[in-house]
Amino acid sequence: NALIAEGGQATTDLLQRPEVKAVASRLLVNGMFSTTKGANGVQINGIDPEQEALVTKLPERVTHGTYFEGNKRNPILIGESLAEKIGLQRVDEAGNVSYNLRKRVVLTFQIPGGETQAAQFRIVGTFKSLNSKVDETQVYVKRSDLAALMGTGEKVHEIALILEDQELSEDSPFFQWVQATHPDLMVENWKDLAPDLKLVDESFAVSLTIFMAIIMLALLFGIVNTMIMAILERTREMGMLMSIGMNRIQVFLMIMLETIFLTLVGAPIGILTALGLISYFGNVGIDISAFAEGGAAMGVASTAYTYLEPSAYVLITIMVFITALIASIFPARRALKLNPAEAVRAI
């Protein structure tokens, strides 16, 4: 990756923008993680601990040890999978898992100019992310320590952002401002960085549309069936109403209004029930640990938290009312075909 010459200034400029919630600048280099147990290829992430905590919430992933606390020289944070691979994991007779921290390791990497640099780091903690591959191939050190070894100063390889708005489209004012202010930067959103997750997201959107269409179709047939049964059970009543002067338009409107009132009662109950369940499982989560082993390779957590955009509730409510109105047309037309004289004599 190319170095950003004025990483510190770019970070300061981005933090001043109202669209930006948090910023984390990083120094990245591929290297070799070596211990007496062997060696493993890793990506070394030089981070500012305070910045990174705001963007990725890395401290919450720390399972053993500490998160760069104190002023210890050359601390390093490694994943549980890597710690297990190099033999740091210990299991006592009771089955409790612990890790032999404070062990020294050697990181070997190339600095700008092509020279090889090696330095000792001391393990201060382990972390467990949502992705088992990340736990095995990513290590975190202080950016200041890595920059001193590489001689890069304030230069960084990438700057990660969290925006107030989740979407960053190429025609957004913020995107255009970044391109105009820092033309040497390549700006990418999460869809550019993770095209596989973009494909999953788009596929899920298509599946959700199909699923909603099936639900609305079932709702349509349910309403049609309910209203036809109501008409059949009240055939004599409708025949009498038509006999004493109720015209066809009034009969049609009566069936339509009954359907609307039925929807006005059912729709709010359904929406409020869905809102309560989504809010509950959004806080508690749904255990999907049965799929956790396969999902961990794709960065999927063992607990799923439900969430639905507020605009989706409005859209679903509108769709329900439109479906109800369409469904009421057929029963209403059936009621219009009743012969008053025959309807009155119906059993």
Side-chain angles (χ1 to χ4, degrees), residues 213-229:
I214 295 173
I215 293 295
M216 290 302 159
L217 188 62
L219 174 65
L220 186 144
F221 282 107
I223 293 175
V224 168
N225 181 66
T226 300
M227 295 311 299
I228 287 180
M229 290 299 297

Side-chain angles (χ1 to χ4, degrees), residues 152-273:
T152 54
E154 290 296 317
K155 297 178 181 179
V156 296
H157 285 108
E158 69 179 23
I159 301 174
L161 308 175
I162 288 185
L163 303 179
E164 297 291 346
D165 185 6
Q166 295 182 4
E167 294 295 330
L168 175 61
S169 59
E170 294 186 1
D171 58 349
S172 66
F174 176 74
F175 186 94
Q176 295 174 354
W177 173 83
V178 175
Q179 293 287 63
T181 309
H182 302 280
D184 55 327
L185 297 182
M186 180 174 67
V187 185
E188 296 179 321
N189 58 20
W190 70 269
K191 294 181 180 179
D192 299 320
L193 295 172
D196 51 342
L197 291 181
K198 174 186 175 182
L199 179 62
V200 171
D201 182 66
E202 292 175 349
S203 301
F204 181 76
V206 174
S207 301
L208 184 61
T209 302
I210 296 173
F211 182 74
M212 286 300 300
I214 295 173
I215 293 295
M216 290 302 159
L217 188 62
L219 174 65
L220 186 144
F221 282 107
I223 293 175
V224 168
N225 181 66
T226 300
M227 295 311 299
I228 287 180
M229 290 299 297
I231 292 171
L232 293 175
E233 291 175 355
R234 295 156 54 198
T235 301
R236 293 185 63 184
E237 175 188 335
M238 290 188 177
M240 291 181 63
L241 291 174
M242 296 173 72
S243 298
I244 62 177
M246 179 178 281
N247 58 41
R248 293 180 178 274
I249 294 178
Q250 291 174 326
V251 172
F252 185 85
L253 292 176
M254 181 181 71
I255 302 300
M256 294 286 287
L257 286 173
E258 285 187 14
T259 307
I260 292 173
F261 288 140
L262 181 66
T263 307
L264 285 173
V265 173
I269 294 175
I271 293 294
L272 291 175
T273 302

Side-chain angles (χ1 to χ4, degrees), residues 267-287:
I269 294 175
I271 293 294
L272 291 175
T273 302
L275 177 61
L277 290 173
I278 290 173
S279 300
Y280 174 77
F281 287 110
N283 294 324
V284 177
I286 301 174
D287 183 17

